[in-house]
Amino acid sequence: MLVGIKDSFKLFGVSIICCCAVLVCTMFLNFAIDLKSIGDIISTPDARVLYDAQLMTSKVVIAATGLCLLLTSVVTMLFHVKHFIDRHKKDLGILKALGHSNIKIARNFAVFGLSVFVGCIVGFGLAYAVMPRFYALQNKDAIMPDVPLVFHGEVLVYFVILPALAFSAIAVLYACYKLKQPVLSLLKEAAAEGGKKHVSAEKDETPFLKGLSLSVLKGKKVLAFFICFSAFCFSSLIQMGASMDELSSEMMGAMMIIIGVVLAVTTLILAIVTVVNSNRQTIAVMRAFGYTDMQCINSVLGIYRPFAYAGFALGTVYQFGLLKVMVAIVFKDIAGVPEYSFDFAVMAITLAVFIVAYEGLTLLCAKGIKRISLRQIMSE
């Protein structure tokens, strides 16, 4: 069949996002369950305050992390299903012409759920690997009784089994929806895309380049979300991670920074590679007309730059608001917790690193497009 297991492994972005989500959520949900087991033996007021704060923290982290990364995983999964269908319209049209029903074809997309399972099981395993250290840090001052680390099968079901089954169902249903079009429509669209001309020479260079950029954005709107999300993760998690040494622990800070970098790099590379590959014909023809490599790459990627910096700004506001709420509300009755204020130095350093990384990746892509030749495109 057209869709195979190897196609599922191409969804590495989904696997990484699911891994990060399950890693964080498993740690805090397992801790919250185990924490409740000592609720009846807490007697001192200080221990009760810390107990309530830890439970509230777990709920906030699970909600904030889980919902955000769940939404991103769903969008990424739908993007891959749509991208696969768009690239194989001719093959899918032939299958439908041979009598295969929409649901018969669509059910093969259930294999995409394998990428979710792989990401979730890796994140689940990593969570239990670091959990002993995590439990110790949560009660490092020994204010509460020791919290026992217990394996809970329901956590495995919630964060590994159910997500894999749910995403398989989502992939099948969305594929079935996208396949609800006549056979001739699939075949004609495939032929039209193969023969479509993307670029022509213009006397006025500026309007052409602007029009091309807008056309790229119109054709790949969802990639604006990925680029914005990439900057959001980088900004929010790195700035939060830099504050964790005072508010929580160095371990939590390091985890946030690592997760932020991994999510940002994964989603940004996914978006940029998709944009460049989708416009290989355009880039090849532009180079043949004499446009420089930087003009070519800025025409297909420059339109997304505002979304990247908007995502960074949103991430900055988000991390400040979340930490402010945590300190002012959740930990307000706990002695020794410092008052949180916005750290302009950390923000400036994070922004500088982001600019270097983002613009550096753009320059790297500009060098890479030299391998895109007009002869190769015409032969395809």
Side-chain angles (χ1 to χ4, degrees):
M1 187 52 72
L2 192 61
V3 187
I5 292 179
K6 65 178 182 179
D7 295 303
S8 177
F9 291 124
K10 295 178 181 179
L11 278 68
F12 66 93
V14 177
S15 298
I16 292 175
I17 295 171
C18 290
C19 177
C20 294
V22 171
L23 169 61
V24 175
C25 292
T26 297
M27 287 172 53
F28 280 92
L29 180 59
N30 205 92
F31 178 74
I33 295 174
D34 290 338
L35 184 62
K36 289 182 179 179
S37 67
I38 67 168
D40 295 335
I41 62 175
I42 293 178
S43 56
T44 65
D46 289 343
R48 176 57 61 180
V49 170
L50 181 60
Y51 172 85
D52 294 336
Q54 295 285 14
L55 279 180
M56 179 61 70
T57 300
S58 298
K59 293 177 182 178
V60 171
V61 171
I62 292 171
T65 303
L67 291 177
C68 179
L69 295 183
L70 174 63
L71 173 63
T72 306
S73 300
V74 171
V75 173
T76 307
M77 172 69 75
L78 298 182
F79 168 77
H80 278 289
V81 173
K82 181 180 183 300
H83 187 62
F84 185 93
I85 292 176
D86 289 342
R87 287 189 298 110
H88 296 86
K89 284 182 178 179
K90 182 178 179 181
D91 299 318
L92 294 170
I94 292 174
L95 285 176
K96 291 188 67 172
L98 292 174
H100 293 269
S101 64
N102 291 336
I103 189 62
K104 185 176 181 180
I105 299 174
R107 69 187 183 190
N108 291 280
F109 285 85
V111 75
F112 280 8
L114 182 61
S115 62
V116 176
F117 176 79
V118 170
C120 290
I121 197 66
V122 170
F124 188 82
L126 288 175
Y128 271 93
V130 301
M131 234 181 271
R133 176 64 175 164
F134 174 72
Y135 274 49
L137 289 173
Q138 294 299 95
N139 191 32
K140 60 183 178 180
D141 296 326
I143 297 175
M144 299 184 301
D146 290 335
V147 181
L149 174 56
V150 180
F151 175 82
H152 299 283
E154 62 268 30
V155 178
L156 176 67
V157 174
Y158 295 154
F159 292 141
V160 178
I161 307 300
L162 291 181
L165 295 176
F167 274 85
S168 292
I170 290 172
V172 171
L173 292 174
Y174 186 66
C176 190
Y177 167 75
K178 295 297 294 183
L179 288 169
K180 286 184 178 179
Q181 48 185 310
V183 174
L184 290 179
S185 178
L186 286 171
L187 296 176
K188 286 180 179 179
E189 286 185 27
E193 289 179 1
K196 184 166 40 178
K197 295 182 179 180
H198 296 279
V199 66
S200 61
E202 295 285 348
K203 293 182 179 179
D204 189 356
E205 180 179 313
T206 304
F208 166 73
L209 294 178
K210 287 183 178 179
L212 176 60
S213 295
L214 292 173
S215 176
V216 170
L217 177 61
K218 183 179 179 180
K220 297 291 181 182
K221 300 186 193 71
V222 70
L223 296 181
F225 168 81
F226 289 136
I227 290 177
C228 183
F229 175 76
S230 171
F232 176 88
C233 290
F234 190 90
S235 173
S236 61
L237 292 177
I238 288 184
Q239 291 185 69
M240 277 195 287
S243 304
M244 284 298 105
D245 57 341
E246 296 182 358
L247 300 177
S248 180
S249 65
E250 292 183 357
M251 175 189 172
M252 286 301 299
M255 282 184 57
M256 286 189 173
I257 291 174
I258 292 172
I259 291 175
V261 171
V262 170
L263 287 175
V265 171
T266 300
T267 51
L268 185 59
I269 290 178
L270 168 66
I272 289 180
V273 169
T274 302
V275 171
V276 173
N277 287 340
S278 300
N279 293 275
R280 292 174 72 248
Q281 293 181 4
T282 301
I283 292 171
V285 175
M286 286 181 68
R287 294 184 67 222
F289 279 134
Y291 290 99
T292 66
D293 294 339
M294 282 306 301
Q295 284 177 313
C296 294
I297 206 66
N298 280 329
S299 296
V300 298
L301 288 178
I303 192 66
Y304 293 104
R305 186 175 282 109
F307 294 97
Y309 291 106
F312 186 93
L314 287 173
T316 300
V317 174
Y318 170 81
Q319 65 87 24
F320 173 72
L322 182 60
L323 291 180
K324 195 70 174 178
V325 168
M326 292 289 291
V327 172
I329 298 177
V330 178
F331 295 107
K332 64 178 180 179
D333 297 325
I334 299 180
V337 177
E339 183 178 352
Y340 177 72
S341 58
F342 188 78
D343 195 327
F344 286 95
V346 170
M347 187 274 290
I349 294 172
T350 306
L351 178 59
V353 173
F354 175 76
I355 292 173
V356 171
Y358 183 83
E359 301 300 337
L361 188 55
T362 300
L363 291 174
L364 188 62
C365 289
K367 292 183 178 180
I369 66 172
K370 291 182 179 179
R371 296 192 296 268
I372 303 176
S373 65
L374 184 60
R375 178 180 298 179
Q376 180 185 6
I377 296 298
M378 294 180 67
S379 64
E380 292 175 356

